Amino acid sequence: MRLVLGRFTHNALALLAVTTILFFMFRLMPGTPLAAFINENLNADQQQAMLEQFGLDKPMWQQYFIYLANLLQGEMGLSFFQRRPVMTILLEVLPNSVILTLTSLIIAYIFGVVAGAWLAWKRGTWIERAAVPAVLATRAAPEFWIGMVLLAVLSFNAGWFPSGGASSPGMAYSSNWDRIFSLDYVHHLALPVLTLALYLQGLPLLLMRSNMLEVMHEEFVTMARMKGLSEWRIVIGHAARNALLPVVTAFALGVGLSMGGNVVIETVFSWPGIGRLLVQAVSVHDYPLAQGAFLMIALVLALMNFVADLLYMVLDPRVSHGRKG
Amino acid sequence: MILEVDKLRIHYSTRDGVARAVDGASFTVPEGRIVGLVGESGCGKTTAVRAIMGVLAENGRQAGGRVVFKGQAMDEATTRKLRWRDIAYVPQSAMSSLDPVYTVGAQLVEVMTKRGNHSRASARARSVELFDLVGLNERRLADYPHQFSGGMRQRAAIAMALALEPSLLLADEPVTALDVIVQRQILDVLRSLQQRLHLSMVLVTHDISVVAYLCDEVVVMYAGQVVESGPVRDVLARPRHPYTMGLRNAFPDLLSDALELVPIAGSPPDLREPLSGCRFVPRCPFAQPACGIDAAMSGNGDHRSACRRDSEADTLRTAALDPRTWQRSSSFAMS
Amino acid sequence: MAERAEPVASTRSSWSLSPVLRRMVAMPLKDPFAFTGILIYVLFALVALFADQLAPIDPMEILFTKAGKLAANVPPGAEFPLGTTNLGRDIYAQLVYGTRSALAVGLSAAIIVSTVGTIVGLVAGYFGGATDAVLMRIADMALSLPFLPFVIVLTGFLGASTSNIVLAVALLLWPNSARVIRSQVLTLRERAYVEAARVTGASAWRILFVHIAPNILPLSFVYAAIAIGWAIITEASVSFLGFGDSGSVSWGMMLQDAFASQALSRGQYAWFVPPGICIVLIVVAGFFISRGYEEVFMPRLRGR
């Protein structure tokens, strides 16, 4: 329990540090945050009113604490451009990002774990010798480029998938959830998921493979063999069960990390998610929205780091069950 | 004889050539006795035992000889059938040989249900029995290996070995990782179990005092070969091979600790090099030109040794008691 | 005691320096992966060096056909090996010149990352205590920033320039190498020859840079090789998102250009496939080299 609390504090502090860095990064940028808005047509009073509206007339440290207090209540201000609360906009697109990330990760990790264990099993064969550099190449490819190639081949050329967006134009749904559970949505989701999964499978695959290779040399695996247990039981029940520990942790970390990486995938496929929102907000200098999107991504990252720590504790009895002596 | 090892050869292929880890070793284990397999590390003891269990490393293979268990020559199929049911193994480090992610109880139940005829319920009942047998509290069955102390883990490993009521136990340095007091306790557990269950046992160790404490017979191995064997009392009191004499000097004697400890200078030879004659020559204070030719095991009765100067054993033994003999050998060997 | 330890310490340091270096140079010859990696680096370095000779056409020049029409979207052929862009620019020339900016981005990021990472790792590991705690907390903080979003925000607001991208990458990547080097220093610190140097009264900095740093070198190299790849991918991603240096010719800009001008729907594979392959090759080369070095110098670190 103390461990859990410790990890929680650690991740919470990291998040606080990120929000602080972000606050000052945005405030200390060259030009006032409202530079994009304030034009010659506004008189001094109107400018002042605008600064007040966004709370920019107060001293920096005061702004910082107001900002923190607001954040804690989920209050992130108004988007400069959309003139709507940032939180509302974020919550609208968040499900799209979460669905994209989780679906791809689950596919990537199931494939990666199975293929990685299988490659470890096949160690020394030509299959393994050819597969390892090939997998490294998928890890080396820029995500968006994989997306571009798949888009050109499978969408524009073969016409199997739509070229972007999350739903076909002209479709009407009674609610957001209705839309998400529609076949049309899944059809739009398929190609981004395929791209992301292709990019993400390398990590669990290589991790699983090297863990398996290491575990297969552990004495308890030899011992299982001496006990005459079946090969299946040795590989799955003992070797894979142990090799899986770090992979499960990597999965949780992967959720946080790929939420950040989704920025490019969402842009390639015009997928209305948090990443694309961030890109758009930054390119039009919509500070509150960019800040909100960034914080949301950082929050997911910190949350997932914490989940990864918890998972590790739950899954590894050496951590969850203390020493008794 | 419950186990006969006959001219066993185990080769490892390494990047720098073939290592002959076991090079024509022969020994037997009589029913109901404890045989100590002793020698420095790298002499092939562990390899020999692992070969009997059929778990050589990937680059190892049996290059010759045979292992006979209860009159039946062992091949891959019989090994697979016999292991753990008839021949079980007690590892050096119980920590690394227990799976860290399962409780000790679960691992006991696993081997009994998967390899024995136990139902889960009867396996659980038998686990309690086994823990009792090795002196562990049954409540600890629900604990994970890392929650045990070193001595307790070793007891758990012994319980694991006894799960399917084997008739032969191969124990590979079962007490090496433990402190002296716990060593004694574990050896006592082994001895009492061996007597109560009428087990036969091979005890691999580099520590000749452990042999003296527990074993009935001893087999001394050097560089993959057996150099001396016989009843413990004979071999330790009147060693016939200079290597055994040296080993005895290198460990504290449990009976008389008057002797100064004298290590044998040098280390076992590189088994990748082709060797002929007695392998101990480079370190032997009594080596002669004639030692370049292989010596067969000879001797009267049970006590046998493979030394060209076997007839002079009594004289050599007296000289070997003098620490200066071994200093001379080391400087001689180095030059 | 001091008189006796002095020569021991000095022979040991000269002894420890040269074998590490020698093994660093000899390693690629033994490991086929690392050899391939070095080969790819050398190849790209040559292309960057001789870009002018390899591609005589200016990559930004707008080309016209003999009939005086804009040479837009010309398919690959004898005149233009990879065809032209929708604005009539030679794709092959862009690809060749893109090597220069890729190597510039990669190398400068690698140098900053490995220098900062090595120094922080050495100092934190050797001095320990409060210095260590502070440096590692800063590292934790940098690692908890989402990578690409941070780079985008930074370049988006500081201005789209290559140096800002390199800066952002360096800011986020140094902690990885610092952490691993720190743990390596922790073990090296306890070695006998370091102890001997300490007894002779060598200053802490001397011990750090003369006795410990040379043994850390292969690790710094591994992280530099990885940083090259990361920096190039990041530059490409940021350029693709439209925050790149519009004045430079880079593989990322090429991909952005191709994407924005509908090259995908026209099936102009020769435009957007080669830059991606170049990125894959150069990043994979980094992976291969780091793999080889890790296996030779720190087998225990594998899999981390």
Side-chain angles (χ1 to χ4, degrees):
Chain A
M1 203 54 224
R2 258 182 49 221
L3 266 175
V4 175
L5 218 65
R7 294 316 301 170
F8 181 78
T9 326
H10 181 93
N11 288 303
L13 282 178
L15 192 61
L16 179 67
V18 169
T19 52
T20 307
I21 292 172
L22 196 67
F23 174 83
F24 288 104
M25 203 163 93
F26 276 82
R27 298 309 133 115
L28 298 177
M29 288 295 178
T32 89
L34 286 179
F37 281 90
I38 297 174
N39 50 45
E40 311 299 311
N41 303 335
L42 293 172
N43 62 37
D45 279 354
Q46 284 172 313
Q47 287 194 17
Q48 189 57 33
M50 200 144 186
L51 284 172
E52 269 167 36
Q53 185 192 342
F54 290 103
L56 295 168
D57 54 336
K58 300 190 174 69
M60 188 76 85
W61 62 269
Q62 229 172 345
Q63 286 186 37
Y64 174 66
F65 283 106
I66 293 171
Y67 155 87
L68 278 189
N70 283 341
L71 269 187
L72 282 176
Q73 298 161 33
E75 176 60 59
M76 294 183 175
L78 288 179
S79 155
F80 284 166
F81 272 86
Q82 300 195 25
R83 299 293 170 128
R84 290 197 297 154
V86 167
M87 202 59 180
T88 315
I89 304 173
L90 290 179
L91 289 180
E92 260 171 31
V93 298
L94 187 64
N96 289 330
S97 281
V98 171
I99 287 169
L100 171 63
T101 306
L102 282 183
T103 320
S104 331
L105 270 172
I106 289 170
I107 293 172
Y109 272 69
I110 290 176
F111 172 80
V113 162
V114 173
W118 184 73
L119 277 185
W121 179 244
K122 286 271 167 194
R123 68 199 171 282
T125 63
W126 69 268
I127 297 177
E128 194 218 8
R129 270 194 285 276
V132 170
V135 173
L136 281 176
T138 65
R139 299 254 304 138
E143 289 169 85
F144 70 89
W145 179 69
I146 301 179
M148 281 171 71
V149 174
L150 290 181
L151 201 56
V153 175
L154 298 181
S155 173
F156 288 118
N157 192 4
W160 295 345
F161 299 102
S163 64
S167 46
S168 304
M171 301 282 261
Y173 298 99
S174 53
S175 78
N176 207 20
W177 294 110
D178 244 23
R179 187 176 61 80
I180 284 170
F181 287 111
S182 70
L183 218 68
D184 182 50
Y185 187 84
V186 174
H187 194 208
H188 279 82
L189 183 66
L191 208 49
V193 162
L194 182 66
T195 308
L196 206 48
L198 195 63
Y199 175 74
L200 292 171
Q201 48 79 37
L203 178 73
L205 192 153
L206 295 173
L207 197 59
M208 188 66 189
R209 175 182 159 275
S210 69
N211 288 344
M212 278 294 275
L213 287 179
E214 213 155 284
V215 173
M216 289 301 276
H217 283 113
E218 294 277 352
E219 185 66 13
F220 65 80
V221 171
T222 313
M223 199 70 178
R225 206 156 267 150
M226 287 195 210
K227 288 176 192 164
L229 299 176
S230 68
E231 199 63 26
W232 178 257
R233 213 182 156 73
I234 295 170
V235 172
I236 303 299
H238 291 279
R241 171 68 177 79
N242 275 274
L244 208 56
L245 284 178
V247 182
V248 173
T249 315
F251 178 85
L253 290 175
V255 176
L257 288 176
S258 71
M259 279 290 263
N262 280 1
V263 172
V264 280
I265 292 288
E266 290 180 358
T267 304
V268 174
F269 293 100
S270 323
W271 185 256
I274 284 252
R276 185 156 161 269
L277 192 70
L278 175 72
V279 172
Q280 288 171 338
V282 172
S283 46
V284 299
H285 289 257
D286 190 339
Y287 285 75
L289 190 59
Q291 185 171 285
F294 186 94
L295 274 179
M296 187 61 90
I297 294 171
L299 177 70
V300 174
L301 185 66
L303 201 67
M304 286 303 142
N305 282 348
F306 179 55
V307 170
D309 291 336
L310 284 188
L311 271 178
Y312 184 71
M313 287 179 201
V314 172
L315 290 174
D316 192 337
R318 282 164 292 191
V319 184
S320 57
H321 292 71
R323 189 168 249 292
K324 282 190 183 170
Chain B
M1 292 301 149
I2 186 163
L3 184 77
E4 293 164 61
V5 174
D6 187 23
K7 298 195 187 70
L8 188 65
R9 285 176 201 282
I10 308 291
H11 290 181
Y12 288 113
S13 49
T14 70
R15 208 174 283 180
D16 313 302
V18 173
R20 297 172 184 79
V22 178
D23 199 13
S26 304
F27 59 89
T28 56
V29 180
E31 190 122 22
R33 309 299 289 272
I34 304 182
V35 174
L37 198 56
V38 73
E40 290 161 291
S41 56
C43 282
K45 312 168 309 245
T46 296
T47 301
V49 168
R50 293 198 154 219
I52 297 169
M53 293 303 294
V55 290
L56 286 175
E58 275 163 50
N59 61 340
R61 65 183 184 93
Q62 186 171 337
R66 55 185 201 142
V67 176
V68 180
F69 179 76
K70 288 186 174 167
Q72 187 184 9
M74 305 244 285
D75 55 23
E76 242 188 276
T78 48
T79 305
R80 209 168 286 156
K81 205 176 73 208
L82 290 176
R83 59 186 172 197
W84 224 260
R85 292 187 182 137
D86 293 274
I87 310 176
Y89 181 85
V90 179
Q92 167 170 4
S93 161
M95 182 65 193
S96 54
S97 50
L98 291 164
D99 190 327
V101 302
Y102 297 108
T103 62
V104 174
Q107 297 182 55
L108 275 168
V109 169
E110 178 191 36
V111 73
M112 282 187 271
T113 51
K114 300 293 166 202
R115 287 285 291 159
N117 299 320
H118 286 273
S119 65
R120 291 193 72 81
S122 75
R124 264 190 223 112
R126 169 109 176 109
S127 302
V128 173
E129 230 177 271
L130 284 166
F131 258 41
D132 193 43
L133 205 59
V134 296
L136 285 172
N137 190 318
E138 62 179 87
R139 276 187 317 220
R140 303 303 297 258
L141 280 167
D143 283 345
Y144 290 92
H146 73 275
Q147 295 173 297
F148 282 53
S149 69
M152 291 165 66
R153 267 197 295 269
Q154 216 58 38
R155 286 171 196 260
I158 294 170
M160 187 78 70
L162 297 175
L164 302 179
E165 301 176 57
S167 45
L168 175 65
L169 219 53
L170 307 179
D172 186 3
E173 305 266 14
V175 297
T176 305
L178 307 171
D179 65 64
V180 183
I181 297 164
V182 184
Q183 277 194 0
R184 191 70 72 90
Q185 290 169 358
I186 299 295
L187 291 178
D188 290 341
V189 170
L190 281 174
R191 197 215 299 273
S192 83
L193 287 172
Q194 184 263 337
Q195 282 165 359
R196 277 166 69 187
L197 307 173
H198 198 69
L199 289 166
S200 313
M201 201 185 298
V202 174
L203 184 103
V204 172
T205 180
H206 66 282
D207 187 342
I208 209 151
S209 59
V210 169
V211 173
Y213 189 74
L214 192 67
C215 298
D216 306 308
E217 307 205 357
V218 61
V219 174
V220 182
M221 276 188 82
Y222 187 73
Q225 297 179 326
V226 173
V227 293
E228 185 164 3
S229 65
V232 163
R233 214 166 280 172
D234 287 357
V235 174
L236 294 193
R238 284 179 298 283
R240 304 180 70 90
H241 194 283
Y243 180 59
T244 317
M245 298 174 195
L247 271 187
R248 202 185 53 164
N249 285 353
F251 283 94
D253 195 332
L254 294 183
L255 305 171
S256 70
D257 29 22
L259 270 177
E260 186 187 343
L261 296 186
V262 186
I264 312 171
S267 49
D270 187 346
L271 298 169
R272 288 166 304 194
E273 308 282 328
L275 302 159
S276 67
C278 176
R279 275 102 212 254
F280 192 55
V281 165
R283 303 167 75 188
C284 182
F286 312 119
Q288 289 179 340
C291 297
I293 302 161
D294 276 318
M297 290 283 277
S298 66
N300 39 358
D302 295 339
H303 189 175
R304 299 157 71 81
S305 90
C307 180
R308 289 246 144 220
R309 301 181 69 181
D310 195 42
S311 53
E312 306 162 62
D314 292 334
T315 332
L316 301 185
R317 192 179 310 120
T318 316
L321 287 175
D322 186 348
R324 281 171 300 176
T325 307
W326 296 92
Q327 282 160 14
R328 210 167 48 232
S329 85
S330 60
S331 57
F332 174 74
M334 274 181 193
S335 62
Chain C
M1 182 63 214
E3 292 86 346
R4 277 192 59 208
E6 178 73 57
V8 173
S10 56
T11 46
R12 177 59 214 241
S13 78
S14 58
W15 180 92
S16 67
L17 177 67
S18 58
V20 169
L21 287 179
R22 216 179 308 134
R23 278 165 67 205
M24 267 183 80
V25 176
M27 190 282 305
L29 300 175
K30 286 186 194 151
D31 185 280
F33 273 102
F35 183 76
T36 316
I38 299 266
L39 202 70
I40 294 173
Y41 274 0
V42 169
L43 226 67
F44 276 110
L46 287 176
V47 170
L49 217 57
F50 296 107
D52 300 308
Q53 283 74 26
L54 286 167
I57 301 175
D58 183 332
M60 296 305 277
E61 192 188 327
I62 293 170
L63 304 164
F64 293 90
T65 58
K66 290 189 185 81
K69 278 177 64 188
L70 184 72
N73 297 328
V74 177
E79 197 180 353
F80 308 112
L82 295 175
T84 61
T85 71
N86 62 325
L87 292 180
R89 290 176 174 139
D90 183 20
I91 294 170
Y92 166 74
Q94 295 196 342
L95 191 70
V96 170
Y97 279 91
T99 311
R100 280 194 179 164
S101 79
L103 287 187
V105 167
L107 287 178
S108 46
I111 289 169
I112 302 176
V113 166
S114 62
T115 310
V116 174
T118 304
I119 291 174
V120 170
L122 280 171
V123 169
Y126 188 77
F127 293 104
T131 322
D132 181 30
V134 169
L135 287 173
M136 286 303 109
R137 285 301 81 72
I138 296 175
D140 282 347
M141 231 187 294
L143 284 177
S144 58
L145 286 165
F147 190 84
L148 209 48
F150 179 79
V151 181
I152 290 165
V153 169
L154 206 71
T155 50
F157 291 135
L158 279 187
S161 78
T162 311
S163 57
N164 282 342
I165 296 173
V166 170
L167 175 78
V169 169
L171 271 175
L172 294 191
L173 276 190
W174 67 266
N176 294 311
S177 52
R179 275 186 173 179
V180 176
I181 286 171
R182 171 182 168 272
S183 68
Q184 192 78 358
V185 172
L186 284 178
T187 65
L188 283 172
R189 191 170 68 165
E190 308 305 326
R191 295 274 171 85
Y193 68 95
V194 173
E195 196 56 49
R198 210 174 286 143
V199 169
T200 64
S203 77
W205 293 103
R206 193 185 148 75
I207 293 174
L208 251 187
F209 287 100
V210 175
H211 298 275
I212 294 180
N215 293 294
I216 293 296
L217 225 57
L219 257 186
S220 313
F221 197 75
V222 163
Y223 279 90
I226 293 174
I228 290 179
W230 265 103
I232 290 173
I233 287 196
T234 309
E235 191 274 335
S237 305
V238 171
S239 298
F240 175 76
L241 294 173
F243 303 112
D245 191 338
S246 51
S248 75
V249 180
S250 77
W251 296 331
M253 292 302 287
M254 286 177 72
L255 290 171
Q256 201 262 338
D257 210 5
F259 185 74
S261 54
Q262 320 284 312
L264 268 58
S265 59
R266 283 195 304 271
Q268 276 178 292
Y269 292 98
W271 189 355
F272 61 84
V273 171
I277 290 180
C278 287
I279 295 174
V280 170
L281 279 176
I282 215 160
V283 176
V284 151
F287 287 170
F288 282 0
I289 290 169
S290 64
R291 240 180 89 103
Y293 274 93
E294 272 179 20
E295 233 141 78
V296 172
F297 290 99
M298 50 232 89
R300 289 304 315 157
L301 282 177
R302 259 185 316 118
R304 270 190 210 173

